[in-house]
Amino acid sequence: MTMTVPAPAVEVFNADYSLLDRVGWQAAVSMLMREVAYALEAHDPPQVLRSPTAAIELPKSLLLVRYAPVPYRREADHASRAEILTRDANRCQFVGCGGSATTIDHLLPRSRGGGNTWHNLVASCEACNGAKANRTPAEAGMRLVREPFRPGHL
Ligand SMILES: [Zn+2]
């Protein structure tokens, strides 16, 4: 399947409706296909992924069928610290900063189940990382210069 525009990350909710992670559209589609998760919220307008033989609506969020006591998908969308710094060219990804990144920020904090994934990690300077603390960017009133993505060659 292909997307004509970059698809936003999909939020994954655990079976108890707690926010667990953010994953790329490929991982989201895979979870739907394997029936380990259901679509929870739809995009408005709908975002439809098309292949020559099928079409699937990409949800805004997914709900796991079974409660995941341990993060389940570290392998599927995993990224290393070095990979994230390279993708983000060692620049802090928070709007209004532009500083040199020396740390990696988890958008959904690790303490709240956020994984080491392409869609949950961004390069950050220490000041922004510290200001955001144990919150999501929305909770902290901070925005990203771009949606984190998985490079096509990885
Ligand atoms: Zn910064």
mmCIF file of all heavy atoms in Angstrom, residues 25-71:
data_model
loop_
_atom_site.group_PDB
_atom_site.id
_atom_site.type_symbol
_atom_site.label_atom_id
_atom_site.label_comp_id
_atom_site.label_asym_id
_atom_site.label_seq_id
_atom_site.Cartn_x
_atom_site.Cartn_y
_atom_site.Cartn_z
ATOM 1 N N TRP A 25 1.876 4.357 10.152
ATOM 2 C CA TRP A 25 0.695 3.764 9.528
ATOM 3 C C TRP A 25 0.928 2.305 9.143
ATOM 4 O O TRP A 25 0.006 1.498 9.181
ATOM 5 C CB TRP A 25 0.204 4.600 8.346
ATOM 6 C CG TRP A 25 1.121 4.644 7.144
ATOM 7 C CD1 TRP A 25 2.056 5.599 6.869
ATOM 8 C CD2 TRP A 25 1.179 3.704 6.069
ATOM 9 N NE1 TRP A 25 2.694 5.301 5.697
ATOM 10 C CE2 TRP A 25 2.179 4.154 5.176
ATOM 11 C CE3 TRP A 25 0.482 2.539 5.763
ATOM 12 C CZ2 TRP A 25 2.505 3.467 4.007
ATOM 13 C CZ3 TRP A 25 0.802 1.849 4.594
ATOM 14 C CH2 TRP A 25 1.804 2.314 3.725
ATOM 15 N N GLN A 26 2.188 1.960 8.784
ATOM 16 C CA GLN A 26 2.437 0.568 8.406
ATOM 17 C C GLN A 26 2.168 -0.358 9.585
ATOM 18 O O GLN A 26 1.536 -1.414 9.442
ATOM 19 C CB GLN A 26 3.885 0.368 7.942
ATOM 20 C CG GLN A 26 4.261 1.171 6.703
ATOM 21 C CD GLN A 26 4.936 2.497 7.041
ATOM 22 O OE1 GLN A 26 4.661 3.104 8.075
ATOM 23 N NE2 GLN A 26 5.807 2.944 6.160
ATOM 24 N N ALA A 27 2.673 0.039 10.756
ATOM 25 C CA ALA A 27 2.461 -0.780 11.952
ATOM 26 C C ALA A 27 0.976 -0.812 12.318
ATOM 27 O O ALA A 27 0.449 -1.845 12.733
ATOM 28 C CB ALA A 27 3.292 -0.225 13.109
ATOM 29 N N ALA A 28 0.286 0.326 12.127
ATOM 30 C CA ALA A 28 -1.147 0.377 12.448
ATOM 31 C C ALA A 28 -1.944 -0.572 11.552
ATOM 32 O O ALA A 28 -2.809 -1.320 12.021
ATOM 33 C CB ALA A 28 -1.657 1.813 12.297
ATOM 34 N N VAL A 29 -1.627 -0.553 10.261
ATOM 35 C CA VAL A 29 -2.330 -1.438 9.320
ATOM 36 C C VAL A 29 -2.047 -2.892 9.662
ATOM 37 O O VAL A 29 -2.949 -3.741 9.666
ATOM 38 C CB VAL A 29 -1.924 -1.125 7.861
ATOM 39 C CG1 VAL A 29 -2.402 -2.213 6.905
ATOM 40 C CG2 VAL A 29 -2.480 0.234 7.451
ATOM 41 N N SER A 30 -0.786 -3.174 9.992
ATOM 42 C CA SER A 30 -0.408 -4.538 10.360
ATOM 43 C C SER A 30 -1.211 -5.016 11.576
ATOM 44 O O SER A 30 -1.684 -6.156 11.618
ATOM 45 C CB SER A 30 1.095 -4.581 10.647
ATOM 46 O OG SER A 30 1.429 -5.751 11.347
ATOM 47 N N MET A 31 -1.387 -4.135 12.553
ATOM 48 C CA MET A 31 -2.142 -4.512 13.759
ATOM 49 C C MET A 31 -3.616 -4.758 13.439
ATOM 50 O O MET A 31 -4.234 -5.670 13.981
ATOM 51 C CB MET A 31 -1.993 -3.414 14.815
ATOM 52 C CG MET A 31 -0.578 -3.365 15.389
ATOM 53 S SD MET A 31 -0.270 -1.881 16.358
ATOM 54 C CE MET A 31 -1.256 -2.242 17.796
ATOM 55 N N LEU A 32 -4.163 -3.947 12.530
ATOM 56 C CA LEU A 32 -5.560 -4.160 12.120
ATOM 57 C C LEU A 32 -5.703 -5.482 11.380
ATOM 58 O O LEU A 32 -6.634 -6.247 11.622
ATOM 59 C CB LEU A 32 -6.027 -3.014 11.209
ATOM 60 C CG LEU A 32 -6.323 -1.681 11.893
ATOM 61 C CD1 LEU A 32 -6.533 -0.585 10.853
ATOM 62 C CD2 LEU A 32 -7.555 -1.796 12.790
ATOM 63 N N MET A 33 -4.751 -5.750 10.474
ATOM 64 C CA MET A 33 -4.802 -6.978 9.677
ATOM 65 C C MET A 33 -4.678 -8.222 10.556
ATOM 66 O O MET A 33 -5.313 -9.234 10.307
ATOM 67 C CB MET A 33 -3.660 -6.999 8.643
ATOM 68 C CG MET A 33 -3.743 -5.906 7.608
ATOM 69 S SD MET A 33 -5.148 -6.120 6.516
ATOM 70 C CE MET A 33 -4.753 -4.988 5.220
ATOM 71 N N ARG A 34 -3.809 -8.115 11.572
ATOM 72 C CA ARG A 34 -3.609 -9.262 12.466
ATOM 73 C C ARG A 34 -4.713 -9.342 13.525
ATOM 74 O O ARG A 34 -4.718 -10.253 14.340
ATOM 75 C CB ARG A 34 -2.231 -9.153 13.142
ATOM 76 C CG ARG A 34 -1.080 -9.442 12.182
ATOM 77 C CD ARG A 34 0.281 -9.364 12.880
ATOM 78 N NE ARG A 34 0.615 -8.005 13.250
ATOM 79 C CZ ARG A 34 0.965 -7.617 14.488
ATOM 80 N NH1 ARG A 34 1.032 -8.493 15.461
ATOM 81 N NH2 ARG A 34 1.251 -6.363 14.721
ATOM 82 N N GLU A 35 -5.596 -8.343 13.514
ATOM 83 C CA GLU A 35 -6.723 -8.302 14.441
ATOM 84 C C GLU A 35 -6.276 -8.288 15.898
ATOM 85 O O GLU A 35 -6.930 -8.841 16.767
ATOM 86 C CB GLU A 35 -7.702 -9.459 14.166
ATOM 87 C CG GLU A 35 -8.276 -9.371 12.758
ATOM 88 C CD GLU A 35 -9.340 -10.419 12.471
ATOM 89 O OE1 GLU A 35 -9.349 -11.462 13.140
ATOM 90 O OE2 GLU A 35 -10.161 -10.163 11.575
ATOM 91 N N VAL A 36 -5.129 -7.637 16.153
ATOM 92 C CA VAL A 36 -4.707 -7.435 17.542
ATOM 93 C C VAL A 36 -5.249 -6.102 18.059
ATOM 94 O O VAL A 36 -5.178 -5.820 19.240
ATOM 95 C CB VAL A 36 -3.167 -7.495 17.722
ATOM 96 C CG1 VAL A 36 -2.643 -8.854 17.318
ATOM 97 C CG2 VAL A 36 -2.475 -6.388 16.954
ATOM 98 N N ALA A 37 -5.794 -5.287 17.146
ATOM 99 C CA ALA A 37 -6.348 -3.997 17.554
ATOM 100 C C ALA A 37 -7.514 -3.632 16.647
ATOM 101 O O ALA A 37 -7.600 -4.079 15.503
ATOM 102 C CB ALA A 37 -5.274 -2.909 17.470
ATOM 103 N N TYR A 38 -8.426 -2.841 17.205
ATOM 104 C CA TYR A 38 -9.553 -2.299 16.460
ATOM 105 C C TYR A 38 -9.337 -0.815 16.241
ATOM 106 O O TYR A 38 -8.679 -0.158 17.048
ATOM 107 C CB TYR A 38 -10.856 -2.436 17.252
ATOM 108 C CG TYR A 38 -11.253 -3.822 17.618
ATOM 109 C CD1 TYR A 38 -11.328 -4.209 18.954
ATOM 110 C CD2 TYR A 38 -11.584 -4.741 16.631
ATOM 111 C CE1 TYR A 38 -11.720 -5.488 19.304
ATOM 112 C CE2 TYR A 38 -11.969 -6.031 16.976
ATOM 113 C CZ TYR A 38 -12.038 -6.400 18.310
ATOM 114 O OH TYR A 38 -12.416 -7.650 18.653
ATOM 115 N N ALA A 39 -9.965 -0.276 15.192
ATOM 116 C CA ALA A 39 -9.975 1.174 15.016
ATOM 117 C C ALA A 39 -10.807 1.788 16.132
ATOM 118 O O ALA A 39 -11.896 1.299 16.443
ATOM 119 C CB ALA A 39 -10.561 1.519 13.658
ATOM 120 N N LEU A 40 -10.270 2.831 16.755
ATOM 121 C CA LEU A 40 -10.990 3.467 17.864
ATOM 122 C C LEU A 40 -11.625 4.775 17.392
ATOM 123 O O LEU A 40 -12.821 4.963 17.517
ATOM 124 C CB LEU A 40 -10.026 3.711 19.031
ATOM 125 C CG LEU A 40 -10.616 4.257 20.327
ATOM 126 C CD1 LEU A 40 -11.633 3.292 20.911
ATOM 127 C CD2 LEU A 40 -9.504 4.480 21.355
ATOM 128 N N GLU A 41 -10.819 5.661 16.846
ATOM 129 C CA GLU A 41 -11.331 6.935 16.331
ATOM 130 C C GLU A 41 -10.947 7.045 14.861
ATOM 131 O O GLU A 41 -9.839 6.681 14.488
ATOM 132 C CB GLU A 41 -10.653 8.116 17.031
ATOM 133 C CG GLU A 41 -10.992 8.311 18.482
ATOM 134 C CD GLU A 41 -10.120 9.436 19.039
ATOM 135 O OE1 GLU A 41 -8.957 9.170 19.368
ATOM 136 O OE2 GLU A 41 -10.602 10.568 19.100
ATOM 137 N N ALA A 42 -11.840 7.620 14.067
ATOM 138 C CA ALA A 42 -11.569 7.824 12.643
ATOM 139 C C ALA A 42 -11.063 9.242 12.412
ATOM 140 O O ALA A 42 -11.305 10.137 13.216
ATOM 141 C CB ALA A 42 -12.832 7.589 11.840
ATOM 142 N N HIS A 43 -10.342 9.402 11.313
ATOM 143 C CA HIS A 43 -9.943 10.748 10.908
ATOM 144 C C HIS A 43 -11.133 11.454 10.269
ATOM 145 O O HIS A 43 -11.974 10.824 9.641
ATOM 146 C CB HIS A 43 -8.815 10.687 9.868
ATOM 147 C CG HIS A 43 -7.473 10.451 10.458
ATOM 148 N ND1 HIS A 43 -6.775 11.418 11.128
ATOM 149 C CD2 HIS A 43 -6.690 9.344 10.480
ATOM 150 C CE1 HIS A 43 -5.615 10.932 11.535
ATOM 151 N NE2 HIS A 43 -5.545 9.673 11.166
ATOM 152 N N ASP A 44 -11.179 12.761 10.409
ATOM 153 C CA ASP A 44 -12.201 13.563 9.761
ATOM 154 C C ASP A 44 -11.499 14.666 8.992
ATOM 155 O O ASP A 44 -10.956 15.583 9.604
ATOM 156 C CB ASP A 44 -13.147 14.149 10.804
ATOM 157 C CG ASP A 44 -14.252 14.980 10.156
ATOM 158 O OD1 ASP A 44 -14.556 14.707 8.978
ATOM 159 O OD2 ASP A 44 -14.792 15.891 10.819
ATOM 160 N N PRO A 45 -11.454 14.621 7.647
ATOM 161 C CA PRO A 45 -12.056 13.593 6.787
ATOM 162 C C PRO A 45 -11.286 12.280 6.850
ATOM 163 O O PRO A 45 -10.137 12.272 7.293
ATOM 164 C CB PRO A 45 -11.935 14.221 5.390
ATOM 165 C CG PRO A 45 -10.734 15.104 5.486
ATOM 166 C CD PRO A 45 -10.741 15.648 6.900
ATOM 167 N N PRO A 46 -11.897 11.182 6.395
ATOM 168 C CA PRO A 46 -11.232 9.873 6.455
ATOM 169 C C PRO A 46 -9.934 9.853 5.658
ATOM 170 O O PRO A 46 -9.817 10.520 4.635
ATOM 171 C CB PRO A 46 -12.251 8.927 5.810
ATOM 172 C CG PRO A 46 -13.549 9.641 5.872
ATOM 173 C CD PRO A 46 -13.234 11.109 5.829
ATOM 174 N N GLN A 47 -8.952 9.088 6.166
ATOM 175 C CA GLN A 47 -7.694 8.883 5.442
ATOM 176 C C GLN A 47 -7.698 7.452 4.937
ATOM 177 O O GLN A 47 -7.653 6.520 5.734
ATOM 178 C CB GLN A 47 -6.512 9.076 6.378
ATOM 179 C CG GLN A 47 -6.372 10.508 6.853
ATOM 180 C CD GLN A 47 -4.942 10.956 6.909
ATOM 181 O OE1 GLN A 47 -4.028 10.173 6.655
ATOM 182 N NE2 GLN A 47 -4.726 12.200 7.239
ATOM 183 N N VAL A 48 -7.777 7.315 3.629
ATOM 184 C CA VAL A 48 -7.892 5.977 3.052
ATOM 185 C C VAL A 48 -6.585 5.597 2.368
ATOM 186 O O VAL A 48 -6.052 6.351 1.558
ATOM 187 C CB VAL A 48 -9.068 5.907 2.056
ATOM 188 C CG1 VAL A 48 -9.175 4.513 1.460
ATOM 189 C CG2 VAL A 48 -10.367 6.302 2.751
ATOM 190 N N LEU A 49 -6.075 4.427 2.741
ATOM 191 C CA LEU A 49 -4.874 3.869 2.115
ATOM 192 C C LEU A 49 -5.337 2.946 1.003
ATOM 193 O O LEU A 49 -6.245 2.152 1.204
ATOM 194 C CB LEU A 49 -4.075 3.056 3.136
ATOM 195 C CG LEU A 49 -3.582 3.793 4.379
ATOM 196 C CD1 LEU A 49 -3.220 2.791 5.452
ATOM 197 C CD2 LEU A 49 -2.381 4.628 4.023
ATOM 198 N N ARG A 50 -4.684 3.062 -0.167
ATOM 199 C CA ARG A 50 -5.123 2.227 -1.291
ATOM 200 C C ARG A 50 -3.961 1.424 -1.853
ATOM 201 O O ARG A 50 -2.866 1.916 -1.993
ATOM 202 C CB ARG A 50 -5.683 3.115 -2.413
ATOM 203 C CG ARG A 50 -6.946 3.814 -2.015
ATOM 204 C CD ARG A 50 -7.469 4.689 -3.163
ATOM 205 N NE ARG A 50 -8.449 5.641 -2.647
ATOM 206 C CZ ARG A 50 -9.690 5.301 -2.288
ATOM 207 N NH1 ARG A 50 -10.104 4.048 -2.456
ATOM 208 N NH2 ARG A 50 -10.512 6.197 -1.803
ATOM 209 N N SER A 51 -4.259 0.186 -2.176
ATOM 210 C CA SER A 51 -3.334 -0.640 -2.943
ATOM 211 C C SER A 51 -4.098 -0.993 -4.214
ATOM 212 O O SER A 51 -5.273 -0.666 -4.342
ATOM 213 C CB SER A 51 -2.967 -1.897 -2.158
ATOM 214 O OG SER A 51 -4.025 -2.816 -2.220
ATOM 215 N N PRO A 52 -3.453 -1.677 -5.175
ATOM 216 C CA PRO A 52 -4.193 -2.030 -6.393
ATOM 217 C C PRO A 52 -5.419 -2.893 -6.107
ATOM 218 O O PRO A 52 -6.370 -2.898 -6.878
ATOM 219 C CB PRO A 52 -3.154 -2.805 -7.218
ATOM 220 C CG PRO A 52 -1.850 -2.268 -6.748
ATOM 221 C CD PRO A 52 -2.045 -1.982 -5.271
ATOM 222 N N THR A 53 -5.424 -3.620 -5.014
ATOM 223 C CA THR A 53 -6.515 -4.577 -4.775
ATOM 224 C C THR A 53 -7.357 -4.273 -3.546
ATOM 225 O O THR A 53 -8.359 -4.926 -3.318
ATOM 226 C CB THR A 53 -5.946 -5.998 -4.603
ATOM 227 O OG1 THR A 53 -4.962 -5.951 -3.561
ATOM 228 C CG2 THR A 53 -5.318 -6.510 -5.875
ATOM 229 N N ALA A 54 -6.934 -3.317 -2.743
ATOM 230 C CA ALA A 54 -7.667 -3.107 -1.496
ATOM 231 C C ALA A 54 -7.593 -1.653 -1.071
ATOM 232 O O ALA A 54 -6.749 -0.893 -1.527
ATOM 233 C CB ALA A 54 -7.085 -3.992 -0.394
ATOM 234 N N ALA A 55 -8.515 -1.306 -0.204
ATOM 235 C CA ALA A 55 -8.482 0.022 0.416
ATOM 236 C C ALA A 55 -8.788 -0.171 1.892
ATOM 237 O O ALA A 55 -9.591 -1.021 2.267
ATOM 238 C CB ALA A 55 -9.511 0.938 -0.227
ATOM 239 N N ILE A 56 -8.105 0.590 2.712
ATOM 240 C CA ILE A 56 -8.342 0.473 4.144
ATOM 241 C C ILE A 56 -8.322 1.882 4.735
ATOM 242 O O ILE A 56 -7.515 2.713 4.321
ATOM 243 C CB ILE A 56 -7.295 -0.447 4.818
ATOM 244 C CG1 ILE A 56 -7.651 -0.677 6.283
ATOM 245 C CG2 ILE A 56 -5.893 0.097 4.689
ATOM 246 C CD1 ILE A 56 -6.832 -1.803 6.913
ATOM 247 N N GLU A 57 -9.237 2.125 5.628
ATOM 248 C CA GLU A 57 -9.280 3.443 6.257
ATOM 249 C C GLU A 57 -8.313 3.454 7.428
ATOM 250 O O GLU A 57 -8.367 2.602 8.311
ATOM 251 C CB GLU A 57 -10.699 3.762 6.727
ATOM 252 C CG GLU A 57 -10.788 5.197 7.237
ATOM 253 C CD GLU A 57 -12.193 5.589 7.662
ATOM 254 O OE1 GLU A 57 -13.173 4.981 7.164
ATOM 255 O OE2 GLU A 57 -12.305 6.491 8.512
ATOM 256 N N LEU A 58 -7.396 4.436 7.390
ATOM 257 C CA LEU A 58 -6.427 4.555 8.480
ATOM 258 C C LEU A 58 -7.078 5.273 9.655
ATOM 259 O O LEU A 58 -7.534 6.404 9.512
ATOM 260 C CB LEU A 58 -5.194 5.334 8.020
ATOM 261 C CG LEU A 58 -4.072 5.423 9.058
ATOM 262 C CD1 LEU A 58 -3.400 4.068 9.222
ATOM 263 C CD2 LEU A 58 -3.056 6.480 8.667
ATOM 264 N N PRO A 59 -7.140 4.616 10.814
ATOM 265 C CA PRO A 59 -7.766 5.277 11.955
ATOM 266 C C PRO A 59 -6.835 6.293 12.591
ATOM 267 O O PRO A 59 -5.626 6.283 12.364
ATOM 268 C CB PRO A 59 -8.053 4.122 12.913
ATOM 269 C CG PRO A 59 -7.002 3.114 12.599
ATOM 270 C CD PRO A 59 -6.680 3.272 11.127
ATOM 271 N N LYS A 60 -7.402 7.154 13.398
ATOM 272 C CA LYS A 60 -6.630 8.131 14.166
ATOM 273 C C LYS A 60 -6.038 7.442 15.395
ATOM 274 O O LYS A 60 -4.958 7.780 15.863
ATOM 275 C CB LYS A 60 -7.581 9.242 14.600
ATOM 276 C CG LYS A 60 -6.954 10.485 15.088
ATOM 277 C CD LYS A 60 -8.066 11.540 15.185
ATOM 278 C CE LYS A 60 -7.610 12.708 16.009
ATOM 279 N NZ LYS A 60 -8.709 13.664 16.172
ATOM 280 N N SER A 61 -6.782 6.477 15.912
ATOM 281 C CA SER A 61 -6.293 5.737 17.073
ATOM 282 C C SER A 61 -6.792 4.302 17.016
ATOM 283 O O SER A 61 -7.778 3.992 16.338
ATOM 284 C CB SER A 61 -6.745 6.400 18.378
ATOM 285 O OG SER A 61 -8.145 6.500 18.408
ATOM 286 N N LEU A 62 -6.052 3.440 17.721
ATOM 287 C CA LEU A 62 -6.352 2.008 17.771
ATOM 288 C C LEU A 62 -6.564 1.596 19.221
ATOM 289 O O LEU A 62 -5.972 2.171 20.132
ATOM 290 C CB LEU A 62 -5.158 1.197 17.237
ATOM 291 C CG LEU A 62 -4.850 1.265 15.749
ATOM 292 C CD1 LEU A 62 -3.530 0.538 15.487
ATOM 293 C CD2 LEU A 62 -5.965 0.649 14.938
ATOM 294 N N LEU A 63 -7.372 0.570 19.392
ATOM 295 C CA LEU A 63 -7.589 0.004 20.723
ATOM 296 C C LEU A 63 -7.145 -1.457 20.684
ATOM 297 O O LEU A 63 -7.619 -2.227 19.845
ATOM 298 C CB LEU A 63 -9.068 0.083 21.096
ATOM 299 C CG LEU A 63 -9.444 -0.490 22.462
ATOM 300 C CD1 LEU A 63 -8.827 0.336 23.599
ATOM 301 C CD2 LEU A 63 -10.971 -0.520 22.611
ATOM 302 N N LEU A 64 -6.213 -1.809 21.557
ATOM 303 C CA LEU A 64 -5.758 -3.204 21.597
ATOM 304 C C LEU A 64 -6.891 -4.126 22.028
ATOM 305 O O LEU A 64 -7.671 -3.790 22.921
ATOM 306 C CB LEU A 64 -4.595 -3.369 22.578
ATOM 307 C CG LEU A 64 -3.255 -2.743 22.195
ATOM 308 C CD1 LEU A 64 -2.196 -3.147 23.204
ATOM 309 C CD2 LEU A 64 -2.829 -3.163 20.797
ATOM 310 N N VAL A 65 -6.953 -5.288 21.399
ATOM 311 C CA VAL A 65 -7.981 -6.275 21.730
ATOM 312 C C VAL A 65 -7.742 -6.811 23.141
ATOM 313 O O VAL A 65 -8.673 -6.968 23.924
ATOM 314 C CB VAL A 65 -7.954 -7.422 20.699
ATOM 315 C CG1 VAL A 65 -8.892 -8.543 21.109
ATOM 316 C CG2 VAL A 65 -8.314 -6.881 19.321
ATOM 317 N N ARG A 66 -6.488 -7.088 23.430
ATOM 318 C CA ARG A 66 -6.134 -7.615 24.753
ATOM 319 C C ARG A 66 -5.243 -6.630 25.475
ATOM 320 O O ARG A 66 -4.420 -5.967 24.856
ATOM 321 C CB ARG A 66 -5.342 -8.923 24.599
ATOM 322 C CG ARG A 66 -6.158 -10.006 23.980
ATOM 323 C CD ARG A 66 -5.692 -11.362 24.479
ATOM 324 N NE ARG A 66 -6.350 -12.394 23.706
ATOM 325 C CZ ARG A 66 -5.728 -13.336 23.021
ATOM 326 N NH1 ARG A 66 -4.405 -13.384 23.052
ATOM 327 N NH2 ARG A 66 -6.386 -14.214 22.337
ATOM 328 N N TYR A 67 -5.363 -6.601 26.785
ATOM 329 C CA TYR A 67 -4.526 -5.740 27.596
ATOM 330 C C TYR A 67 -3.064 -6.149 27.434
ATOM 331 O O TYR A 67 -2.729 -7.332 27.517
ATOM 332 C CB TYR A 67 -4.932 -5.834 29.068
ATOM 333 C CG TYR A 67 -4.132 -4.913 29.942
ATOM 334 C CD1 TYR A 67 -4.367 -3.544 29.932
ATOM 335 C CD2 TYR A 67 -3.125 -5.401 30.752
ATOM 336 C CE1 TYR A 67 -3.621 -2.686 30.715
ATOM 337 C CE2 TYR A 67 -2.371 -4.551 31.546
ATOM 338 C CZ TYR A 67 -2.623 -3.197 31.517
ATOM 339 O OH TYR A 67 -1.876 -2.356 32.283
ATOM 340 N N ALA A 68 -2.196 -5.188 27.192
ATOM 341 C CA ALA A 68 -0.769 -5.469 27.007
ATOM 342 C C ALA A 68 -0.018 -5.025 28.258
ATOM 343 O O ALA A 68 0.226 -3.840 28.448
ATOM 344 C CB ALA A 68 -0.237 -4.739 25.791
ATOM 345 N N PRO A 69 0.330 -5.949 29.159
ATOM 346 C CA PRO A 69 1.050 -5.566 30.375
ATOM 347 C C PRO A 69 2.462 -5.107 30.067
ATOM 348 O O PRO A 69 3.016 -4.265 30.747
ATOM 349 C CB PRO A 69 1.058 -6.838 31.218
ATOM 350 C CG PRO A 69 0.847 -7.943 30.251
ATOM 351 C CD PRO A 69 0.074 -7.376 29.090
ATOM 352 N N VAL A 70 3.032 -5.625 28.998
ATOM 353 C CA VAL A 70 4.372 -5.251 28.573
ATOM 354 C C VAL A 70 4.214 -4.640 27.187
ATOM 355 O O VAL A 70 3.461 -5.153 26.382
ATOM 356 C CB VAL A 70 5.284 -6.502 28.462
ATOM 357 C CG1 VAL A 70 6.711 -6.090 28.154
ATOM 358 C CG2 VAL A 70 5.206 -7.324 29.720
ATOM 359 N N PRO A 71 4.882 -3.523 26.931
ATOM 360 C CA PRO A 71 4.792 -2.984 25.571
ATOM 361 C C PRO A 71 5.108 -4.078 24.562
ATOM 362 O O PRO A 71 6.062 -4.816 24.711
ATOM 363 C CB PRO A 71 5.831 -1.870 25.581
ATOM 364 C CG PRO A 71 5.846 -1.420 27.007
ATOM 365 C CD PRO A 71 5.650 -2.676 27.819
#
